[in-house]
Amino acid sequence: MNLPAIVLAGERPGGNPLARAFGLPAGVLVDVAGKPCVTRVIETLVASRSISGGVICGPVESIVSASPVFAELLGRGPFRWIPPARGPADSALAALEQLAERPVLLTAADHALLTPEIVDTFTALAAVRDADFVVGLVPWPLVQAAYPESRRTVLKFAGGAYCGSNLYLVRTAAGAGLIDLWRDFQALRKQPWKMARAIGPGTLLSYLLGRLHIETALLRIGDLAGCRIEHVEILNPRAAVDVDSVADHALAERILSAC
């Protein structure tokens, strides 16, 4: 496979706590075990067998133009930079417009523990799914066993609990519908009752009671987004750890120093 990749590297509104902790203008520039986070991600994608260049979306131009890290990354290719949009969903849609090919891998520039093997395994599994959009999920028991001290967001479904991996495959043009829905939900983050109404009270109640299967959840979200969504399991717990906090930074450095 020779898929393009989108790497989201924008900053949160109001700034990044990790960047502030290290006195840097962007969290993706924070050094993790000897290399800036964004460098680790781009080098991993370049080293994978399945990815062939793509787009880095963010941070803002003033940061990129003043950064030796970005000067090196963009100078040696095969990734090019585009400015971020208002939020991650808008940025992902803007980046998709820059790429004619499908499928497209979508990931984040703070995924410092990503490896070529994780990327290649995910893309191989996701590319053959009969879906428009595929999300990678890591079984929570694997993450808990490997990194018991780590605090992660856990999605608890009937039949299993998962952590996100920040790995997504926009397999067809219709898959952008899920990112459109993501953008709509971001706009409703201060009006959660509207989000709940859109998802449906029955679906939410089933989830809260631990009765909702992941396949049912993805089917419901797919109905709202107008596309088919599936998931694949990633069995490497490293895929569940991104570096967006001081605690995660310390964990990532411990993991990398043990390799």
Side-chain angles (χ1 to χ4, degrees), residues 77-95:
F79 281 81
R80 57 192 174 91
W81 171 86
I82 65 171
R86 290 175 298 175
D90 285 298
S91 292
L93 289 170

Side-chain angles (χ1 to χ4, degrees), residues 106-108 110-111 113-114 118 122 134-141 143 147 150-157 161-168 207 214 231-244 248:
L106 178 62
T107 190
D110 63 1
H111 209 335
L113 296 182
L114 199 59
I118 292 173
F122 170 71
V134 184
V135 56
L137 296 174
V138 186
W140 164 236
V143 181
Y147 315 124
S150 177
R151 298 181 64 181
R152 311 247 61 89
T153 299
V154 182
L155 303 170
K156 297 180 180 180
F157 295 99
Y162 297 94
C163 295
S165 71
N166 266 336
L167 288 171
Y168 312 93
Y207 178 77
I214 187 169
H231 79 287
V232 297
E233 291 191 358
I234 300 174
L235 302 182
N236 188 329
R238 284 177 58 144
V241 180
D242 51 13
V243 180
D244 62 0
D248 284 340

